[in-house]
Amino acid sequence: MSQIKASIFTGSTEVGKLAEEGQIAVPEISDTQILVKNVAVAANPTDWKHIVVGMGGKKGDVIGCDIAGYVEKVGSKVTNFNKGDAVAATLRGNYVANNGGFAEYTAVEQVLTQKIPNIQEKALSVGDYPPSSIDTFEAAASYSLSLATVGLSFSHNFQFKETDSSNADKYVLVWGGATAAGIFAIQVAKSIYGFKVITTASKKHHDFLKSLGADVTFDYKDANVVEQIRDFGKGKIQYAYDTVSSSQTLQQVYDATEGSENVEIDNLLFLSAKNIKTDEKRDVKFHVTLVYLAGGHDHMGIESTPKLQQDFNRFWQDLVPNHLPKFKTPALKVLKPGYSSTNEALDLLRNNKVSGQKVVFRI
Ligand SMILES: NC(=O)c1ccc[n+]([C@@H]2O[C@H](COP(=O)([O-])OP(=O)(O)OC[C@H]3O[C@@H](n4cnc5c(N)ncnc54)[C@H](OP(=O)(O)O)[C@@H]3O)[C@@H](O)[C@H]2O)c1
């Protein structure tokens, strides 16, 4: 086997034409990497943004950041994984021509990989599925990038400690509870770190988000949603996680946390205080998360520091395995198997047709 199939960027930014089936060499693995034979993959907003918004993706790069499959081969410094293990993993796809998620085989870092015990082999047929436990390859493909993002934000940027009993008196505001990141942020904030959780989402998701651990839900479409949250929070919202990360949502998050002391706000799209109107009397700390740094390498000119890796690895290796069996995925939209589903998946995300769902397909 010298050549394998993969979904690669065509270089076109036209809707429906970002991806085509191509051939690449089997990716080489480094000492710390694992070669995975993929079974199912999931699409993320970053997959289309890399080429359309210009995040470094270019013609010929292999698409995809979330995979689930079987370990085929491990690097010499990989300790915890063996050939044949069922695993889920995330990587920075979409920016090199020799490795990416939507391919027969993918090279991933062991620090961004997890074993999925008791997985069922049977494929889910095409269709829409409610949120589920992580017990199919489709569900396993759906969580790694989102959960790793939340893990990096909470363990490193916010420096949450699961042993801190004062967490139980504090609220974390998750803006965008129905994003894939938000769905995991609610579960992690509640069940790993023991916070109270406030979230915003369309009304149709409120019951589901409460079942995940949200204490209070608000409809972000209400004209006075910010006032509602501020009145409810009454100075107790110390941490706010903006999973939508537009200048509008960052402003809303900033305003909704007014009255709280030592507020820290994290976002996922490189926004800062400069993007919003701030009050000089308030002392708010702004963070930015870039999940790829969790893999142990620098990306986009940002350093993956030893402290970042230590914080993240503790989250991913020590805390997550005990909680994963309880976690629920977003609802799944399963597309037909094969590389031709890539354009459909990317278009659904690009056209904002994804609500509380993850788009997945078999490879
Ligand atoms: N920096 C990083 O490392 C990193 C990592 C992961 C993701 N990201 C970025 O983070 C963002 C979220 O990614 P994702 O995959 O989690 O998103 P997603 O699942 O594709 O988000 C879709 C959801 O966004 C919600 N939404 C849209 N506008 C909203 C608003 N104004 N207020 C509240 N909710 C709103 C919708 O909620 P309703 O259904 O309730 O309307 C919808 O369900 C993307 O921009 C992605 O590129 C960055």
Side-chain angles (χ1 to χ4, degrees), residues 44-46 49 145-146 149 175-176 178-182 200-202 204-205 220-221 243-244 249 268-269 289-292 349 354-358:
N44 286 281
T46 193
K49 289 180 183 178
L145 183 129
S146 307
T149 304
W175 196 284
T179 64
T200 65
S202 300
K204 65 179 176 185
H205 297 305
Y220 69 86
K221 291 169 185 161
T243 70
V244 180
T249 58
L268 304 180
L269 291 177
T289 294
L290 181 62
V291 65
Y292 310 130
L349 285 159
V354 171
S355 171
Q357 279 182 317
K358 202 85 193 173

Side-chain angles (χ1 to χ4, degrees), residues 1 72 80 138 191 242 260 291 348 361:
M1 174 187 56
E72 176 71 18
N80 243 336
E138 288 79 0
S191 79
D242 182 0
S260 302
V291 65
L348 285 166
F361 56 97

Side-chain angles (χ1 to χ4, degrees), residues 17 24 43 79 86 124 129 131 181 257 276 298 300 323 342:
K17 298 199 172 155
I24 59 168
T79 48
L124 297 182
Y129 294 80
T257 52
I276 59 170
D298 301 351
M300 298 176 168
H323 290 268
T342 304

Side-chain angles (χ1 to χ4, degrees), residues 313-358:
N313 291 346
R314 199 178 125 51
F315 172 83
W316 198 248
Q317 285 160 24
D318 298 348
L319 300 179
V320 167
N322 285 337
H323 290 268
L324 205 57
K326 288 178 285 180
F327 282 170
K328 291 279 185 296
T329 66
L332 299 179
K333 178 179 266 310
V334 179
L335 306 184
K336 67 178 189 304
Y339 300 90
S340 63
S341 283
T342 304
N343 278 319
E344 187 181 349
L346 267 48
D347 289 348
L348 285 166
L349 285 159
R350 190 176 175 182
N351 296 326
N352 294 320
K353 293 275 165 47
V354 171
S355 171
Q357 279 182 317
K358 202 85 193 173

Side-chain angles (χ1 to χ4, degrees), residues 156 293 296-298 302-311:
H156 182 64
L293 301 178
H297 304 284
D298 301 351
I302 307 173
E303 191 190 353
S304 174
T305 62
K307 169 73 174 145
L308 178 152
Q309 291 165 35
Q310 190 190 359
D311 289 342

Side-chain angles (χ1 to χ4, degrees), residues 192-358:
I192 295 191
Y193 294 110
F195 286 97
K196 293 198 178 98
V197 180
I198 300 176
T199 195
T200 65
S202 300
K203 263 211 164 60
K204 65 179 176 185
H205 297 305
H206 287 190
D207 286 346
F208 169 54
L209 300 182
K210 281 187 174 143
S211 78
L212 298 180
D215 296 277
V216 199
T217 49
F218 294 91
D219 187 349
Y220 69 86
K221 291 169 185 161
D222 282 353
N224 66 344
V225 61
V226 168
E227 289 73 22
Q228 289 178 41
I229 297 172
R230 201 165 43 207
D231 290 350
F232 179 85
K234 290 206 176 59
K236 285 190 175 161
I237 311 173
Q238 191 181 338
Y239 300 100
Y241 194 44
D242 182 0
T243 70
V244 180
S245 305
S246 65
S247 47
Q248 186 195 3
T249 58
L250 192 67
Q251 186 75 59
Q252 289 173 304
V253 164
Y254 181 84
D255 294 343
T257 52
E258 196 189 343
S260 302
E261 301 271 304
N262 306 315
V263 171
E264 299 190 35
I265 301 176
D266 198 358
N267 83 90
L268 304 180
L269 291 177
F270 300 101
L271 298 174
S272 71
K274 292 196 192 103
N275 298 94
I276 59 170
K277 218 166 132 257
T278 54
D279 174 355
E280 60 185 26
K281 293 196 281 305
R282 289 186 64 191
D283 183 17
V284 173
K285 198 166 172 186
F286 289 86
H287 302 278
V288 171
T289 294
L290 181 62
V291 65
Y292 310 130
L293 301 178
H297 304 284
D298 301 351
H299 283 277
M300 298 176 168
I302 307 173
E303 191 190 353
S304 174
T305 62
K307 169 73 174 145
L308 178 152
Q309 291 165 35
Q310 190 190 359
D311 289 342
F312 178 78
N313 291 346
R314 199 178 125 51
F315 172 83
W316 198 248
Q317 285 160 24
D318 298 348
L319 300 179
V320 167
N322 285 337
H323 290 268
L324 205 57
K326 288 178 285 180
F327 282 170
K328 291 279 185 296
T329 66
L332 299 179
K333 178 179 266 310
V334 179
L335 306 184
K336 67 178 189 304
Y339 300 90
S340 63
S341 283
T342 304
N343 278 319
E344 187 181 349
L346 267 48
D347 289 348
L348 285 166
L349 285 159
R350 190 176 175 182
N351 296 326
N352 294 320
K353 293 275 165 47
V354 171
S355 171
Q357 279 182 317
K358 202 85 193 173

